[in-house]
Each structure stands twice: as C-alpha cells, then as structure tokens.
C-alpha cells in the first residue's frame, strides 16, 4: 500500500560512512508500487551501499526509511524482510553444499508435525517456485554444482518465496545469458503488475532502456539525477554518471595483423569423471588463436564456454582428455592452474568467489599474488618493485581504493573484478583466457579495459574472450567462435559477424559451418 504521496518506499537523507570513505551522502530516493527503478553509476558510486541500507544489511546509517507510509529502523535483514523488502546481492550468498530447495527456504523450512524439516513439501514448493519463474532445475541438486547463471535464478526464486513488496536486484543479469535475461524480464513484468516495486542495479544500458520506468544515476555517493531512460540519450546518462562527456566505445580499430599461431586446439574432448551434471564439456573442439588476436567465444548458457576455458587452464575437474592442444608449437596439457601459469596462460574466471581473491588481505597483496616470484630477487620480495607494480596496475585499470593497503573486500564489486584482472596482467601471460571479464564493470572502465586488451594484443598476446554480451564481443574481437553443446558451430571474422548471425548459430538455426 502506498502512502498519500503514492510512494511505496521513501529514503531520506541517507548517509553512510565506512572508515574513511563516504559511500552515500544525503541520498533521497522515492519509489512507487509497480515501478521498475534502475540505479546506475560508476564502480564505487554507492549503489550497493544504498540498497544494503534499504535491505537492512547496513544498519549504522543516517537518514530515514519509510515503507508504505510507515517509518522503519531496520536492525537487520530480517526486519527489512518483514517489511516486504528482499534483496538479491551482487555477490550471491547461497550455501553451495545445500540443495536448491534448502537454499530457497533457508531458515523458513516447512515442518512436519514432528517439527522436522518436511523435505518433500519443501522440494515441491521449491519446484513450484521455479516453475513460476519458468526455470527447469532439480530442487534436490546441490547449489554448488550449478552454474553461476543458474545460481542467480535460485536467488531470485528465494527472494520471491516471501511476501515481497520491494525487490532489490544488484546486477542480476551480470551472469545470465540472453535466454535467462528474457526469463528474468518476464518475471519482472509479472511482479510489476502485482504492484511490486523493483530496484534494479545494472551497468547494461540497453537493459535499463528496456525495462526501467526511471533511472537514478549515482555519482560519488550522491544522486546526480533521475531520468526517464527511454527519452534520455545514452550519452546524457553517461555524462551524468561520470560528470563529463565520454563515449561508450570499444578500443579496437582496423584488423589486427595476427601473428603466428599461439594456441592450436584439435578435436579436444573431455569426459569428466563421475557425474558432473550441468557441465557441457568440450566435445570435439577445433580452435586456433594467433598471437595478437582477440578471439571471442559466444554461445548460450550451457554451451560449454566456461568448460573449454577451464580445460585450457587446467582448472576443470579431472577427466579423460582426447585430441590435442598445442601452445607455441609444443604440447600443452596443464595438470592444474599452476602449470598453466608456468606456460604463460592467465585466466579471469566468471565467478569472482573462485578467483582466489583474499578478501581480508590488502588490495596490493592481492594484485601481486601470482607474480610474486618475478618481483623477487634471490627469493626476497623487493618492496620497491612490488609497490611500483601495484601502482602501475591500479593506475592502468583505474582501481578505486583509498590505498593499496585496504582489504580488497571493502572495494565495490566492480573494483574487485579489476583487481582480479590486474593480478593476471601482472603475471605477463602470453595467452589470456577471459570468462565474462567485464561482469560488473562500469561503462567507462569497460572502455578502458577494451583499449587495454587491444594494446596487449598489439604486443603479441593472444586473447580468448567469452562473453554473453554480444555488442561487446562484436566490438572487441577480431574473430568470433560460437559454441553449442560443447562444439564449435561457427567461426566468423569480425567483419562478417553480426548479432543476428552469432545468435542464430548459438541457437542452432543455421547449418554447421556457416560463415
Ligand atoms: N565494507 C566496506 N568497507 C569499507 N568501504 C566500503 C565497504 N563497502 C563499500 N565500501 C566503499 O564504499 C564505496 C561505495 O561502494 P559500493 O559497493 O556501494 O559501490 P557500487 O556503486 O555498488 O559499485 P559497483 O558498481 O562496483 O558495484 C566504495 O568506495 C567502496 O570501496
Ligand atoms: Mg555494487
């Protein structure tokens, strides 16, 4: 029920300070029932912080919150939930060991008369919830065995299983492929018809234009403005975000002159041991990456992109491998990530939690972790060299941190992702495997990253770049390889690739070998 002004949620004068950082300063925000409000802004602008205040995750803030005309002072997430506010966090917080159903009903499990958990009823309720979302998932599967995109859908089912009036989504599509995004948008439409207000944080402009009724832009912890995304140009929105004019652009130009073959994959197939449900392992892949080339990997969720990259990085579950892989003309079959690194192969994973960030440790330490050996002389780290290396990476990637000494866990999501990237670059790889590397990175920083990738390629690096964002692949890559069912179904040079052609191949509506 809205209050007399028509507002469902009113936040007034919200200020939140972390040791030394003003994350939100005097923010006002009003949302009506049935409204989809986008929140956007650069990495570190304060979006997650503001929403954590609304969801009761952050309680030591200034300012007031009113829901349906009633003032609230949340003492924790449970209070916010009781007021009808649910949040899907940027970093998913599911329990990997528990099943899908157990995660959805965590802490509110249906009970039998004997007060034990009613497993059967719980599974049925979870299944119903998933069906309503249009998702096919076995409620009994362990969440840890699901792909990131699937886990995201479980989070959404979980948030919707309570009486929710306000649903906050912090970058919900960052890990979703196109088909799942459609599914999510359909759900959002249904919720909006039921009068649920949705707060939607995203860095993807085209999504915001498609689903948001209004877009509030944050800059340096403050509201820079609220606009109608349909009648405001992208240019204007970006200007509001960064406070200056900047293009959404890709750092590419002209066809790179590709060098010698760096990576040659022939008929690579893997049969993972044991039951690896949900994995699509390579099933006969042919692929070449030349030095100086950026090769895009496209495909729907479950097409096998992540599995291919993991196999090439030696990070896949052990299995029987057939076919051949050569790196620099020598056999390449890494027994693990360490062996891959030793051969000059770097990997940025789609799942930040598995990227090995030590959240309590300083930013600087996290950046130098894999490169430590190269910064040593006779086994001793040279502090000067380490500092310089860290400084260079922080500057190159525009990592926003009060200092390299602060724990990486205190950085905003996008800035954590940049740290992961910095660490890989510092190790000076020859071949860089990227799985959704720009996930959660803001528009300006993305443009810088694209430029950086092109510079690296010009220096002779080979890059294999998996992304669900087709405009990104089309903008950045020299060539696009499309996977489906663990096989290459198309391989097209940039000038012959289009969004339509890639999608058609990914969905199987063109014959094999097209283009
Ligand atoms: N727990 C924390 N301790 C210290 N500082 C923090 C903490 N959480 C956030 N901050 C700081 O508050 C500021 C705002 O961060 P926030 O996570 O709200 O940004 P964001 O807009 O969500 O960015 P992104 O798009 O990267 O997710 C940043 O400078 C961040 O480093
Ligand atoms: Mg955030």
């Amino acid at each position: 029920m809205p209050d007399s002004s028509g507002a469902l949620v009113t936040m007034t004068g919200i200020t939140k300070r972390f040791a030394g950082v003003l994350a939100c300063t005097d923010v006002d925000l009003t949302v009506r029932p049935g409204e989809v409000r986008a929140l956007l802004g650069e990495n570190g602008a304060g979006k997650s912080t503001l929403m954590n205040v609304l969801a009761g995750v952050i309680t030591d803030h200034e300012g007031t919150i009113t829901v349906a005309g009633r003032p609230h002072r949340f003492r924790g997430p449970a209070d916010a939930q009781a007021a009808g506010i649910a949040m899907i966090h940027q970093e998913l917080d599911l329990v990997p060991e528990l099943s899908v159903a157990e995660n959805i009903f965590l802490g509110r499990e249906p009970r039998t008369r004997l007060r034990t958990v009613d497993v059967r009823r719980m599974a049925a309720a979870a299944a119903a919830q998933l069906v309503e979302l249009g998702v096919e998932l076995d409620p009994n599967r362990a969440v840890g065995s699901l792909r990131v995109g699937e886990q995201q859908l479980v989070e959404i089912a979980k948030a919707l299983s309570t009486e929710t009036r306000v649903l906050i989504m912090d970058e919900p599509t960052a890990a979703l492929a196109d088909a799942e995004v459609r599914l999510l948008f359909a759900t959002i439409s249904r919720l909006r018809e039921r009068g649920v207000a949705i707060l939607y944080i995203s860095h993807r402009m085209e999504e915001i234009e498609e689903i948001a009724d209004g877009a509030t832009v944050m800059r340096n912890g403050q509201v820079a403005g609220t606009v109608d995304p349909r009648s405001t140009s992208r240019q204007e929105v970006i200007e509001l975000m960064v406070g200056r004019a900047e293009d959404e652009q890709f750092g590419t130009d002209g066809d790179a002159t590709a060098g010698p073959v760096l990576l040659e994959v022939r008929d690579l197939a893997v049969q993972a041991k044991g039951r690896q449900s949900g994995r699509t392992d390579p099933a006969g892949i042919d692929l070449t990456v030349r030095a100086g080339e950026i090769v895009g990997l496209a495909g729907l969720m479950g097409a096998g992109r992540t599995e291919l990259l993991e196999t090439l990085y030696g990070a896949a579950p052990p299995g029987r491998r057939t076919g051949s892989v050569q790196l620099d003309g020598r056999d390449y079959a890494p027994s693990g990530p360490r062996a891959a690194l030793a051969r000059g192969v770097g990997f940025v994973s789609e799942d930040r939690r598995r990227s090995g960030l030590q959240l309590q440790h300083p930013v600087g330490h996290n950046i130098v972790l894999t490169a430590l050996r190269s910064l040593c002389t006779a086994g001793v780290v040279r502090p000067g060299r380490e500092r310089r290396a860290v400084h260079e990476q922080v500057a190159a990637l525009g990592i926003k941190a009060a200092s390299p000494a602060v724990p990486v866990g205190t950085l905003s999501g996008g800035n954590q992702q940049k740290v992961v990237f910095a660490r890989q670059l510092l190790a000076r790889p020859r071949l860089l495997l990227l799985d959704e590397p720009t996930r959660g990175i803001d528009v300006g920083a993305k443009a810088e990253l694209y430029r950086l990738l092109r510079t690296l390629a010009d220096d002779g690096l080979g890059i294999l770049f998996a992304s669900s964002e087709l405009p990104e692949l089309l903008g950045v890559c020299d060539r696009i390889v499309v996977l489906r069912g663990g096989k290459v179904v198309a391989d097209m040079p940039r000038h012959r690739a289009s969004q339509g052609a890639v999608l058609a191949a990914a969905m199987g509506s063109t014959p094999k070998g097209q283009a």
Side-chain angles (χ1 to χ4, degrees):
M1 210 195 328
D3 66 10
S4 55
S5 68
L8 178 56
V9 175
T10 308
M11 300 178 85
T12 315
I14 304 292
T15 296
K16 167 64 193 166
R17 209 180 310 264
F18 291 105
V21 183
L22 250 179
C24 286
T25 314
D26 198 20
V27 174
D28 294 343
L29 185 74
T30 310
V31 188
R32 285 175 288 105
E35 177 180 358
V36 179
R37 174 71 63 86
L39 267 188
L40 62 170
E42 287 186 289
N43 295 134
K47 305 176 296 290
S48 296
T49 301
L50 183 67
M51 291 300 103
N52 280 323
V53 166
L54 181 56
V57 176
I58 292 174
T59 53
D60 55 338
H61 61 88
E62 292 161 42
T64 58
I65 300 172
T66 310
V67 183
R70 276 187 45 198
H72 284 276
R73 182 82 218 182
F74 300 139
R75 279 156 306 169
D79 283 359
Q81 250 170 42
I85 298 171
M87 176 162 177
I88 297 165
H89 290 274
Q90 189 167 11
E91 306 299 329
L92 304 181
D93 44 14
L94 297 168
V95 186
E97 295 79 26
L98 296 184
S99 73
V100 169
E102 286 165 329
N103 268 285
I104 292 179
F105 290 101
L106 196 64
R108 332 172 261 110
E109 297 86 356
R111 300 278 166 174
T112 62
R113 287 216 310 273
L114 299 172
R115 305 299 302 147
T116 58
V117 174
D118 189 338
V119 180
R120 216 161 338 129
R121 195 144 59 90
M122 189 163 76
Q129 195 70 47
L130 292 166
V131 166
E132 198 189 322
L133 267 174
V135 185
E136 255 180 67
L137 266 186
D138 177 357
N140 296 314
R141 259 178 74 182
V143 154
S145 75
L146 301 179
R147 319 193 44 79
V148 183
E150 293 171 328
Q151 295 186 4
Q152 191 103 37
L153 295 168
V154 174
E155 280 270 14
I156 293 167
K158 178 179 177 180
L160 294 179
S161 65
T162 55
E163 223 17 81
T164 298
R165 289 193 288 182
V166 180
L167 180 60
I168 304 165
M169 302 190 191
D170 198 346
E171 298 189 37
T173 58
L176 299 188
D178 280 348
E180 286 79 30
V181 173
R182 303 314 332 157
L183 210 68
L184 176 67
F185 284 6
T187 310
I188 289 179
S189 299
R190 260 181 282 142
L191 292 172
R192 161 200 266 159
E193 278 157 30
R194 293 200 328 226
V196 175
I198 291 164
L199 285 148
Y200 189 95
I201 302 180
S202 176
H203 290 292
R204 298 187 181 176
M205 301 285 195
E206 56 283 356
E207 288 182 353
I208 290 173
E209 285 159 14
E210 183 177 343
I211 58 157
D213 304 302
T216 295
V217 181
M218 291 190 72
R219 184 166 75 231
N220 291 330
Q222 288 175 302
V223 171
T226 294
V227 298
D228 177 347
R230 290 182 187 100
S231 60
T232 313
S233 74
R234 251 180 230 195
Q235 204 52 44
E236 285 170 82
V237 174
I238 294 175
E239 261 183 69
L240 268 181
M241 269 175 61
V242 300
R244 60 178 188 277
E246 187 165 348
D247 267 341
E248 185 189 21
Q249 41 162 267
F250 303 104
T252 63
D253 234 315
D255 276 288
T257 37
V261 170
L262 183 64
L263 177 77
E264 180 140 40
V265 178
R266 286 294 158 254
D267 203 22
L268 175 67
V270 176
Q271 265 153 354
K273 283 186 197 135
R275 269 187 65 229
Q276 282 291 333
S277 48
R279 283 184 65 92
T280 309
D281 285 301
I285 287 188
D286 288 330
L287 180 76
T288 305
V289 179
R290 294 173 170 276
E293 206 181 20
I294 305 180
V295 177
L297 263 188
L300 303 179
M301 184 158 99
R305 292 170 299 176
T306 296
E307 289 81 353
L308 171 61
L309 294 177
E310 283 180 356
T311 302
L312 293 175
Y313 192 56
R320 204 161 55 81
R321 243 177 66 148
T322 54
S324 80
V325 181
Q326 297 216 309
L327 183 69
D328 279 325
R330 283 196 294 135
D331 276 345
Y332 173 69
S335 52
R338 206 176 279 266
L341 269 170
R343 289 287 298 269
V345 176
F347 180 41
V348 175
S349 154
E350 66 174 334
D351 186 351
R352 217 161 18 237
R353 288 164 308 165
R354 292 202 330 219
S355 62
L357 276 188
Q358 314 272 308
L359 292 178
Q360 305 83 347
H361 289 195
V363 170
H365 178 73
N366 271 281
I367 291 179
V368 298
L369 215 57
T370 51
L372 268 183
R373 205 167 305 158
S374 67
L375 299 170
C376 291
T377 304
V380 180
V381 182
R382 306 262 300 266
R385 259 207 245 171
E386 176 176 342
R387 222 172 325 153
R388 227 173 311 128
V390 167
H391 181 80
E392 266 173 38
Q393 293 300 323
V394 166
L397 290 163
I399 296 172
K400 267 189 225 145
S403 99
V406 302
V408 89
T410 68
L411 299 195
S412 76
N415 281 299
Q416 291 184 19
Q417 178 70 357
K418 293 188 205 168
V419 171
V420 173
F421 221 96
R423 171 195 292 176
Q424 290 299 327
L425 293 184
L426 196 58
R428 303 212 182 288
R430 312 249 304 109
L431 174 69
L432 198 51
L433 308 171
L434 307 175
D435 196 2
E436 307 285 355
T438 61
R439 178 179 167 204
I441 293 188
D442 71 54
V443 181
K446 268 186 200 169
E448 272 162 41
L449 196 64
Y450 301 145
R451 277 192 285 273
L452 183 68
L453 289 181
R454 181 50 67 190
T455 313
L456 291 169
D458 288 346
D459 286 347
L461 206 84
I463 299 174
L464 196 52
F465 185 148
S467 169
S468 301
E469 289 188 63
L470 287 183
E472 168 173 280
L473 283 186
L474 292 166
V476 176
C477 301
D478 301 308
R479 198 149 54 77
I480 296 186
V481 169
V482 187
L483 294 191
R484 176 158 41 91
K487 292 194 166 76
V488 174
V489 291
D491 186 339
M492 33 187 131
R494 192 224 321 244
H495 65 270
R496 278 209 286 176
S498 67
Q499 209 147 323
V502 172
L503 257 181
M507 301 197 304
S509 40
T510 33
K512 186 181 154 99
Q514 193 259 358

